[in-house]
Amino acid sequence: MDKFELAAVRAEEADRILNSGVFTAAFDDVKAALFKTWAELPTSDTENARDLHRRLKCLDQVRRALEEHIRTGRSEERRVGKECRS
């Protein structure tokens, strides 16, 4: 499998994950739990607030990484498709 085929496979897998009801529900549940915990913190608890902020940022990075695999793979599929037609 070359790098273009691998990018296409990753795009398909990432798309299935992002559009999976189980993934979406789990992602939303974790995010909601983090926000709930943050909202319940005393304002003086800056250490835990920073930790929760880092966790939320990491959660968003996971989603962005999956989305990037989709974009990259799809652009490779289009590029390879154009080359094959030429």
Side-chain angles (χ1 to χ4, degrees):
M1 181 179 304
D2 65 20
K3 69 178 184 175
F4 305 114
E5 291 170 325
L6 181 58
V9 168
R10 285 184 174 178
E12 289 174 18
E13 288 179 28
D15 191 49
R16 274 195 303 275
I17 291 167
L18 278 176
N19 291 309
S20 161
V22 172
F23 174 81
T24 301
F27 193 91
D28 292 344
D29 290 348
V30 170
K31 198 166 194 169
L34 290 171
F35 273 115
K36 182 178 184 295
T37 302
W38 173 76
E40 294 172 351
L41 283 177
T43 55
S44 61
D45 193 350
T46 57
E47 184 176 336
N48 281 319
R50 278 194 298 268
D51 181 56
L52 288 165
H53 184 258
R54 281 190 292 272
R55 290 178 189 204
L56 286 164
K57 290 289 191 183
C58 287
L59 197 58
D60 287 338
Q61 287 174 340
V62 169
R63 183 177 293 276
R64 282 194 304 274
L66 287 167
E67 290 168 347
E68 182 61 25
H69 280 292
I70 293 169
R71 277 191 300 278
T72 302
R74 287 187 179 154
S75 65
E76 289 298 333
E77 284 176 328
R78 285 190 296 275
R79 190 180 73 71
V80 170
K82 286 179 185 177
E83 289 176 1
C84 291
R85 289 189 297 269
S86 300

